[in-house]
Amino acid sequence: MSPVLDTASVPPRDREEVVRDAVWESVVRIDIEHHLPPDDLAVHIGLDTVGPIGVCSARATALTIQRTPRLAREDIEPAVFLGLQVTGTSVVVQNDREALLKPGDFALYDTSAPYTLLFNEGVDQHFLRFPRAALALPERSLRDVTAVALDSDNPLARLASSYFRQLAISEELHRGRPAEAVVEPSVELVRAVVAAQVGREDLARGPLAETLGLRITHYMRAHLADPDLSAARIAAAHGISVRHLYTVLARSGISLGDWIRTHRLAECKRELATPQGRHKTIAAIGRSWGFADATHFSKVFKQAYDISPREWRDHNRPHPSA
């Protein structure tokens, strides 16, 4: 995660204003009251995104954050924050409730309503920002779960705590295919935690069914290089029958075998053109993307691209300068 703000390099007289502007621009519009004088306050913020999910990791000296009624009313893109406590404690206040967070606990809060965050011991949290529309939670259910300490007493919250901590700190999950693969599971995990907390199993069932096709294609992308990727394995991973798997894919116009072969060939084509690919045999590249037979790989590659793997690699070899 790239740092976006470190007050160590900011003159003390400017620190409060710089912190406020950075948070307003990059995270959310809030009022910040620092408990220490400017010479002693310290703030370090790292910011990233995972698709539509914002990820902010913050460490700071003691402060209080308020989302005032006016700021809440002005919100044109409501979001739900998941605040995950790393060390120390903090308090989340919203909808006439208070949640004391200890390390590993997290709480949800909604930007469309006022809230207060108390960090009397300093800040050490990961903040994950979900578009409220993406979560698609009923108003009553969201209200009932905000400012509630979600801790190890809730087994799904225990799982979510570990999952979202890894999502926040693992930069390799913030880019490319890994990022594409984790967006839907992240949204559904939040929904599942809320469903378990408020006793509404239907909150999880509906969206899970609606997003099954998307989750299947994300799974196939994530496991594209696995030689044993098959209809049976994909179906088992999603708790459905092979017949239902083919039905879901057909609705999206996907033929399973063609989809896997096409995407594997595309990865082989990409790798053959890289400097790293020039140091591997063509057969090894094919095997790394599920093509066990080198002759078959060369044949289907040429059928797909009208050029052999070797010709394609040679075509992308850098030419020596004159």
Side-chain angles (χ1 to χ4, degrees):
M1 179 174 293
S2 301
V4 297
L5 173 65
D6 188 342
T7 54
S9 60
V10 178
R13 67 179 181 276
D14 298 329
R15 287 176 181 171
E16 292 189 17
E17 182 179 356
V18 167
V19 169
R20 178 184 179 277
D21 290 348
V23 172
W24 275 49
E25 177 70 25
S26 304
V27 187
V28 65
R29 296 174 65 184
I30 49 178
D31 287 344
I32 304 173
E33 178 189 349
H34 294 277
H35 297 185
L36 298 177
D39 284 352
D40 298 323
L41 73 85
V43 177
H44 182 279
I45 297 173
L47 188 72
D48 215 334
T49 59
V50 183
I53 303 170
V55 181
C56 172
S57 293
R59 298 192 307 275
T61 46
L63 53 81
T64 297
I65 288 172
Q66 286 193 311
R67 177 79 164 171
T68 65
R70 178 181 62 81
L71 292 174
R73 284 194 304 270
E74 293 174 353
D75 198 345
I76 59 174
E77 295 183 1
V80 174
F81 273 91
L82 184 156
L84 174 59
Q85 193 74 23
V86 180
T87 63
T89 62
S90 66
V91 175
V92 180
V93 182
Q94 190 172 48
N95 294 326
D96 300 320
R97 278 191 302 274
E98 290 188 9
L100 174 66
L101 302 185
K102 303 180 296 298
D105 298 349
F106 65 90
L108 302 176
Y109 47 97
D110 177 11
T111 64
S112 66
Y115 61 77
T116 301
L117 309 180
L118 304 172
F119 297 100
N120 292 330
E121 301 175 9
V123 181
D124 191 3
Q125 266 199 16
H126 299 303
F127 302 88
L128 292 100
R129 187 180 193 275
F130 294 83
R132 186 170 168 179
L135 292 176
L137 289 166
E139 181 75 28
R140 177 60 183 273
S141 296
L142 180 57
R143 183 178 178 84
D144 286 348
V145 81
T146 51
V148 172
L150 297 162
D151 53 27
S152 58
D153 290 341
N154 180 328
L156 277 174
R158 188 164 62 243
L159 169 66
S161 175
S162 176
Y163 174 91
F164 286 118
R165 180 180 180 277
Q166 287 301 314
L167 183 61
I169 66 177
S170 300
E171 292 188 21
E172 61 267 31
L173 295 177
H174 301 173
R175 302 287 181 272
R177 287 189 301 162
E180 294 176 7
V182 300
V183 170
E184 284 298 326
S186 299
V187 169
E188 295 306 330
L189 183 53
V190 173
R191 290 183 59 88
V193 169
V194 173
Q197 189 69 28
V198 301
R200 288 277 306 276
E201 293 183 5
D202 58 302
L203 290 182
R205 281 199 305 267
L208 283 174
E210 293 168 8
T211 61
L212 180 57
L214 183 58
R215 287 184 289 115
I216 287 171
T217 54
H218 281 163
Y219 179 90
M220 292 192 298
R221 286 183 183 278
H223 296 276
L224 195 59
D226 297 354
D228 62 344
L229 184 63
S230 65
R233 177 180 165 185
I234 297 166
H238 293 85
I240 59 176
S241 68
V242 171
R243 181 177 180 179
H244 187 47
L245 169 68
Y246 283 118
T247 299
V248 171
L249 293 177
R251 291 192 197 120
S252 301
I254 294 174
S255 168
L256 180 61
D258 289 345
W259 190 98
I260 292 175
R261 181 172 57 255
T262 297
H263 285 77
R264 281 177 170 172
L265 285 171
E267 291 297 337
C268 291
K269 185 182 182 186
R270 177 193 59 76
E271 188 168 349
L272 283 165
T274 65
Q276 296 82 1
R278 289 193 288 273
H279 298 293
K280 299 180 182 179
T281 66
I282 290 172
I285 291 174
R287 281 195 305 272
S288 70
W289 290 102
F291 294 99
D293 184 276
T295 301
H296 174 70
F297 168 55
S298 293
K299 179 180 178 181
V300 295
F301 188 98
K302 187 163 187 177
Q303 287 175 342
Y305 301 117
D306 201 29
I307 189 173
S308 73
R310 187 173 305 280
E311 290 169 336
W312 170 252
R313 182 164 66 179
D314 290 344
H315 176 74
N316 285 277
R317 205 179 289 273
H319 299 291
S321 56

